[in-house]
Amino acid sequence: MSFLNIAQSRYATKKYDSSKKIDDETIDKLKEILRLSPSSVNSQPWRFTFIANEDIKSRLSEFSFNNKNKVLDASHIVVFSVVKDVKTFENIKLTQLPDHTTAYYNRVLKPGGDEHVMTWLIAQVYLSLGFFLSAAASLGIDSTPMEGIDTNGYDSILQDDDYKTLFAVTIGYRDKEDKNQPSLTPKFRMDKDDVIRSI
Ligand SMILES: Cc1cc2nc3c(=O)[nH]c(=O)nc-3n(C[C@H](O)[C@H](O)[C@H](O)COP(=O)(O)O)c2cc1C
């Protein structure tokens, strides 16, 4: 499928077929694709937690507001996390990067202060989301990005000391009745003239 076809056909899945599970080989591909996500100065300030365990999914579903049934019915949930603070980034990520990256970070980013650096780190994780949604669709996997979750509740379950949850993505196979699929509800996007400018 061409990338344009993927853009036209992927959609935020609202209802999953709970009887269908993604095979391990495909999950391994998705893990490797996330590991290969691009980021500014190759900072990679993220962690991606894949969950298939039904007990953990059920506990996470209680912190998932309107997304509860997606978490319960999807094959897997992937939680996207960022390093919990700037100090942690500097200690566990920056130390793995080349000297010229550290020099750039200290000269350009750090003087902006912790809030500025955290905003920049979080932006990198969102970039991996776009990469992931497209990659999943290219493998025939349906998905739902979800900011509508209680991230503190997720953290209380995931217990990952150095990272905090930003958002999650359910992945699996659509229920064939899912009304949000483009064949039943055409995609809404703003006009090309509104969003694209050619000068
Ligand atoms: C960062 C982000 C967070 C989102 N959070 C939710 C969510 O919590 N629940 C949900 O059903 N859809 C969520 N969506 C899906 C969007 O509403 C959807 O992508 C948008 O309406 C465009 O529709 P499409 O993805 O079907 O083309 C989210 C999308 C993004 C990119």
Side-chain angles (χ1 to χ4, degrees), residues 10-12 14 67 70 126 129 145-148 187 189:
R10 66 138 297 283
Y11 75 107
K14 302 292 178 183
N67 293 308
K70 297 172 195 120
Y126 272 86
L129 169 64
M146 301 181 307
E147 281 180 321
K187 265 182 193 295
R189 290 296 191 268

Side-chain angles (χ1 to χ4, degrees), residues 79-91:
V79 179
F80 286 62
S81 307
V82 67
V83 283
K84 70 175 180 198
D85 53 31
V86 171
K87 198 164 175 287
T88 306
F89 173 70
E90 292 173 357
N91 288 342

Side-chain angles (χ1 to χ4, degrees), residues 101-120:
T101 300
T102 307
Y104 174 86
Y105 171 81
N106 285 329
R107 184 168 50 84
V108 177
L109 289 155
K110 200 168 168 58
D114 281 10
E115 199 178 322
H116 174 69
V117 174
M118 271 320 290
T119 302
W120 173 74

Side-chain angles (χ1 to χ4, degrees), residues 20-38:
K20 292 189 184 161
K21 302 292 175 201
I22 304 172
D23 62 62
D24 290 346
E25 192 188 331
T26 305
I27 290 294
D28 283 346
K29 281 184 192 161
L30 288 170
K31 288 175 178 171
E32 182 61 0
I33 286 165
L34 274 176
R35 196 179 72 84
L36 292 169
S37 291

